[in-house]
Amino acid sequence: MSSGRAAVIPVHFWGTRGSLPAPLGRDAVRGKIREALFAARNRNLTTEKAIDRFIDNDLPFAVGGTFGGNTSCVEIATGGDEYLLCDLGSGLREFGNHLIARDGPGQPHTFNVFLSHMHWDHIMGFPCFTPAYIPGNRIRIYGCHKNLSEGLLRQQSEPCFPVSFASLGSTIEFVQLEPDVEYQVAGFSVTAWKQFHSGDSYGYRFARDGKTIVYSTDCEHKAPVLDATYPFVGFFRNADLLIFDAMYSLADTVSVREDWGHSSNVVAVELAQLAKVRRLVLFHHEPAYDDARIARVFADTMRYEEISRAGHKVEVIAAYDGLRLAV
Ligand SMILES: [Zn+2]
Ligand SMILES: [Zn+2]
């Protein structure tokens, strides 16, 4: 822990959807416009400023915005020159485009990527990550799977993608990690943790200046084993931010989606409470849920946290593409 006030760590969510991208269709957009116009009737919205205020203050998020449709990609700012990312879902493309718009293509960067696993939704952004094509950029991909490079090489092979992985202009390295071992990367201490998921997935605990961020997506916690002795409680312990796979509502997890490798909003709250987490981020949203449904799950989750709270308050946040948090 450094002396004095701990530096704030910005966290930017570039992709928050699970399993596959879920763009808004015409009917969804039309539904939002209809609801917004209905809510705006009899209001004197004659200036852009008044309209913005109305969107921000009077419309529910599910009407005035969207949780977004890109798959897993989260950026944790390092405070230095290097970048730190969790997963390479389709949100990565937005991140790459943002960087190039800001710095131009000539500015070299170093990216440290922590891969939870190689299911397609967690790597599909890489072939469209423009910085990967630019010589001078360095990309280090960290993970615990023994065949770490295989998924990325395969998704950029004929006949699935026209540009081979080997022809990318940037320098790409794969770094094999062991779970439960602490590593130092880009100013953070990082520890990986094996999770319950088809083919295994790994969560990561990042710590710097006394702040802790845990990225734990694609893991199925089975309800009966959740108490203070459950090993994940130690992994999440006292995290300032826990990014958690809360793909389903509890009703879905215990009925149709059991053994699908993901967890519910209720399990998220229970584990966050046991581990005394400060802020819980619901992440990896089910692609079949529309904005209104995710908003309902979010509201239910906040209510559940309130009624099940035993002293320690967990702040619940629903992730959306573009969300920025200061940890
Ligand atoms: Zn996933
Ligand atoms: Zn998965």
Side-chain angles (χ1 to χ4, degrees):
M1 176 139 182
S2 66
S3 58
R5 274 170 68 120
V8 164
I9 305 171
V11 179
H12 191 141
F13 293 78
W14 294 95
T16 60
R17 192 65 73 151
S19 297
L20 87 164
L24 284 178
R26 173 189 177 274
D27 289 350
V29 173
R30 192 185 167 94
K32 285 174 194 283
I33 293 170
R34 186 195 305 115
E35 264 193 70
L37 289 175
F38 192 75
R41 72 199 187 286
N42 307 326
R43 302 283 291 259
N44 194 27
L45 301 177
T46 51
T47 64
E48 280 186 18
K49 228 175 175 172
I51 293 169
D52 278 332
R53 257 202 315 271
F54 169 74
I55 293 170
D56 292 340
N57 303 329
D58 298 320
L59 287 183
F61 179 79
V63 176
T66 178
F67 291 95
N70 274 314
T71 64
S72 302
C73 182
V74 177
E75 175 194 0
I76 299 173
T78 65
D81 293 338
E82 298 197 0
Y83 288 87
L84 197 159
L85 296 162
C86 296
D87 281 334
L88 301 167
S90 66
L92 179 72
R93 182 176 157 272
E94 307 285 338
F95 165 72
N97 292 349
H98 159 81
L99 216 59
I100 285 172
R102 193 191 67 191
D103 298 344
Q107 172 73 36
H109 295 292
T110 297
F111 305 95
N112 298 282
V113 179
F114 290 84
L115 264 193
S116 62
H117 61 318
M118 285 161 295
H119 281 168
W120 197 24
D121 53 319
H122 297 261
I123 61 169
M124 58 168 44
F126 197 72
C128 301
F129 182 47
T130 309
Y133 292 79
I134 301 173
N137 284 329
R138 179 173 286 274
I139 304 171
R140 289 192 207 104
I141 301 173
Y142 299 83
C144 297
H145 289 83
K146 301 291 175 234
N147 53 350
L148 200 53
S149 59
E150 204 181 309
L152 288 159
L153 263 67
R154 266 211 250 162
Q155 81 167 344
Q156 279 189 249
S157 307
E158 291 289 359
C160 295
F161 198 79
V163 185
S164 77
F165 192 86
S167 68
L168 295 172
S170 61
T171 303
I172 303 169
E173 301 163 56
F174 290 92
V175 185
Q176 181 85 48
L177 302 179
E178 290 297 324
D180 303 322
V181 175
E182 192 178 316
Y183 297 90
Q184 302 299 320
V185 178
F188 283 84
S189 86
V190 188
T191 310
W193 182 263
K194 193 172 172 179
Q195 306 185 132
F196 305 118
H197 195 64
S198 168
D200 297 336
S201 69
Y202 293 86
Y204 294 96
R205 186 177 169 103
F206 301 93
R208 196 190 77 195
D209 295 339
K211 303 267 185 75
T212 303
I213 298 165
V214 177
Y215 178 76
S216 177
T217 192
D218 293 61
C219 179
E220 182 166 7
H221 300 279
K222 302 266 190 186
V225 293
L226 300 185
D227 61 28
T229 65
Y230 184 53
F232 277 81
V233 173
F235 181 55
F236 299 156
R237 176 118 36 229
N238 297 328
D240 295 283
L241 193 74
L242 169 60
I243 302 163
F244 189 93
D245 168 10
M247 190 163 178
Y248 307 130
S249 65
L250 184 66
D252 274 353
T253 329
V254 296
S255 56
V256 284
R257 268 59 192 269
E258 192 170 3
D259 297 323
W260 283 29
H262 300 283
S263 291
S264 77
N265 58 329
V266 168
V267 168
V269 168
E270 289 178 356
L271 282 175
Q273 286 172 334
L274 284 166
K276 297 212 171 354
V277 164
R278 194 160 73 83
R279 287 196 283 177
L280 165 69
V281 180
L282 308 177
F283 185 73
H284 203 271
H285 303 301
E286 159 64 48
Y289 290 0
D290 64 11
D291 286 317
R293 177 101 185 253
I294 297 174
R296 276 202 303 279
V297 171
F298 178 35
D300 290 348
T301 314
M302 286 192 291
R303 177 88 188 107
Y304 181 70
E305 190 283 325
E306 212 180 302
I307 58 174
S308 62
R309 191 185 301 158
H312 175 82
K313 178 182 173 12
V314 176
E315 183 190 341
V316 182
I317 297 161
Y320 58 87
D321 295 6
L323 170 67
R324 290 167 189 264
L325 296 173
V327 179

